[in-house]
Amino acid sequence: MNKKQLIIVVIVVLAIAGIAYWMLGGSAKNRKIAYEMTTVKRGDVALSVTATGTIEPVTEVEVGTQVSGIIDKIYVDYNSTVKKGELIAEMDKITLQSELASQRANYDGAKAEYTYQEKNYERNKELHAKQLISDTDYETSLYNYQKAKSAYASSEAALAKAQRNLSYATITSPIDGVVISRDVEAGQTVASGFETPTLFTIAADLTQMQVVADVDEADIGNVEEGQRVSFTVDAYPNDTFNGRVTQVRLGTASTSSAASSSSSTVVTYEVVISAPNPDLKLKPRLTANVTIYTVDKQNVLCVPSRALRFTPAAPLVGKDAVINDCEGAHKLWTRNGNTFTAHAVQPGITNGIVTEITGGIDENTSVVLDATMSAGAVTPPVGGTGESAERSPFMPGPPAGRR
């Protein structure tokens, strides 16, 4: 090691020694301790889970038709207010009326045949009892009577069906509500071969909405009916809406592959939340950002959780501090001048920021939240440039040209 390297090593060692001297008490009498205080007071402590959901009407009915045909007239549009039984659309009835007339003719013919065969059978039955006709004639009349009776019943059912199909051409509202969807136009042909086509969607009282939220499987175990809920929607970012959990559905809402791994899945469950909507701000299908309060205690004694982590260690508070400790796993500390007194407390629930206090200390008691040490007027020796800066005697002075 040459002379230049030796000088550098000595300077580094002296610098480290000077810093240690300053930190461990070389200037302790010039350092100041700032205490941050807080008060044990009443407040709200809650644990919550978050989810996203969709605003939906509490009662929503899809109105369709069970017959195929052409939409002849439409009497309502989007946002129309309708009453139960009100006419909202009509289908072309010509084909259905023709079918009804055909079935009625078949019914009349079947009824006439049935009446004739019934009388013939009753007559032959008496004659056969007196042995005036053969068994063959009697059995033939019985057969014709039973066949006519069956045809009559079949024609009666077909006529009732034709009448019902004709009634389906007159489409009425099944509930009092508001039309939130209209999926057909006048002149459009609808076919009900495999499923009932939806013509309108009618929502009942829009002042009472609900949120159907998808809650992750890790959180669903803490969600119960009756829990308080708050949520926001992007349409009104400054408004917070409130509701209650009204139903936790047992069926799985969705099972989808996670983006990070094709082998893992995300499972969610549907939770239904009431959403009063007196001013009609909440529109169907809005996305809601939901907070469900799984534990919700209001107006309880509480303190910031940091206060329970404070301990008046001697190096921090100084050698002259009087520390009155006590037994207990959880403590809050009060301060009177240079005296610190511990109070064993019983914590309740916590959300990580605020902790409930169930006993051990009175309301409105001032406790130490934290303590920080400042250098006051002292400037650290490394990098100090002021003339009044206190320096360790082990540190080399600045170059003459920079004084």
Side-chain angles (χ1 to χ4, degrees):
M1 181 181 298
N2 56 36
K3 184 177 180 180
K4 184 177 181 180
Q5 292 174 331
L6 180 59
I7 293 173
I8 294 175
V9 171
V10 171
I11 292 175
V12 171
V13 171
L14 292 175
I16 295 174
I19 293 173
Y21 172 81
W22 181 81
M23 293 184 65
L24 296 178
S27 57
K29 55 186 178 181
N30 291 319
R31 279 178 278 164
K32 296 180 180 179
I33 300 175
Y35 293 99
E36 186 178 355
M37 307 298 290
T38 189
T39 303
V40 180
K41 59 183 179 181
R42 294 193 174 273
D44 301 338
V45 184
L47 300 176
S48 63
V49 299
T50 58
T52 57
T54 304
I55 306 293
E56 296 181 1
V58 174
T59 302
E60 184 177 355
V61 179
E62 293 182 347
V63 181
T65 176
Q66 292 184 265
V67 294
S68 301
I70 299 174
I71 301 296
D72 189 22
K73 296 178 182 178
I74 294 178
Y75 299 102
V76 295
D77 202 349
Y78 286 94
N79 303 332
S80 296
T81 301
V82 295
K83 296 292 184 180
K84 183 177 180 179
E86 180 180 340
L87 181 64
I88 58 177
E90 285 184 301
M91 299 183 65
D92 181 56
K93 299 179 181 179
I94 294 178
T95 302
L96 296 174
Q97 289 171 338
S98 298
E99 179 66 19
L100 176 60
S102 176
Q103 293 300 333
R104 187 177 296 279
N106 291 337
Y107 169 79
D108 292 340
K111 183 179 181 180
E113 178 67 15
Y114 167 70
T115 302
Y116 168 76
Q117 293 296 342
E118 183 181 28
K119 292 180 179 179
N120 187 53
Y121 165 70
E122 293 294 339
R123 185 169 50 251
N124 287 341
K125 182 179 180 181
E126 294 180 2
L127 294 174
H128 181 262
K130 297 177 182 180
Q131 296 184 348
L132 297 177
I133 60 174
S134 64
D135 292 342
T136 302
D137 291 339
Y138 170 72
E139 291 172 355
T140 300
S141 63
L142 175 61
Y143 167 75
N144 290 333
Y145 164 67
Q146 291 177 335
K147 186 170 67 171
K149 183 178 180 180
S150 176
Y152 172 61
S154 177
S155 65
E156 188 177 30
L159 176 61
K161 181 179 179 181
Q163 290 173 331
R164 178 60 62 89
N165 286 342
L166 180 59
S167 70
Y168 286 149
T170 301
I171 302 168
T172 59
S173 174
I175 60 172
D176 295 345
V178 178
V179 178
I180 62 174
S181 174
R182 179 171 66 85
D183 300 323
V184 292
E185 299 288 345
Q188 181 176 338
T189 301
V190 294
S192 59
F194 298 99
E195 59 180 311
T196 301
T198 299
L199 308 183
F200 305 92
T201 302
I202 299 177
D205 186 9
L206 292 181
T207 62
Q208 296 297 326
M209 304 289 278
Q210 65 183 13
V211 181
V212 180
D214 294 336
V215 177
D216 189 86
E217 61 178 323
D219 299 324
I220 195 64
N222 298 320
V223 178
E224 298 177 354
E225 292 184 10
Q227 290 174 340
R228 182 171 67 92
V229 179
S230 64
F231 63 93
T232 60
V233 295
D234 292 341
Y236 304 100
N238 297 323
D239 293 342
T240 299
F241 302 89
N242 298 300
R244 294 277 175 181
V245 175
T246 59
Q247 186 182 54
V248 180
R249 294 177 177 172
L250 300 180
T252 305
S254 62
T255 305
S256 58
S257 297
S260 59
S261 174
S262 59
S263 61
S264 61
T265 57
V266 176
V267 179
T268 59
Y269 292 82
E270 287 185 345
V271 174
V272 182
I273 300 159
S274 64
N277 187 33
D279 51 7
L280 300 179
K281 283 187 175 182
L282 298 175
K283 308 289 190 294
R285 312 297 178 256
L286 286 178
T287 299
N289 302 306
V290 177
T291 300
I292 303 173
Y293 297 94
T294 56
V295 177
D296 188 15
K297 291 192 174 182
Q298 299 180 341
N299 196 32
V300 295
L301 286 182
C302 56
V303 294
S305 300
R306 284 196 299 154
L308 290 165
R309 297 193 290 267
F310 171 78
T311 300
L316 178 63
V317 299
K319 297 179 180 180
D320 298 331
V322 178
I323 300 176
N324 298 322
D325 205 347
C326 67
E327 296 293 330
H330 305 280
K331 303 173 186 178
L332 291 173
W333 293 85
T334 57
R335 173 176 174 260
N336 184 9
N338 208 29
T339 301
F340 296 85
T341 304
H343 302 263
V345 296
Q346 293 79 48
I349 65 169
T350 180
N351 57 13
I353 300 174
V354 178
T355 299
E356 176 192 13
I357 302 298
T358 60
I361 199 166
D362 294 330
E363 184 179 356
N364 296 323
T365 301
S366 180
V367 297
V368 182
L369 179 63
D370 202 355
T372 56
M373 184 180 294
S374 63
V378 178
T379 304
V382 178
T385 59
E387 285 294 324
S388 62
E390 182 178 329
R391 292 189 296 272
S392 168
F394 298 100
M395 289 295 294
R402 300 179 58 186
R403 287 184 181 274

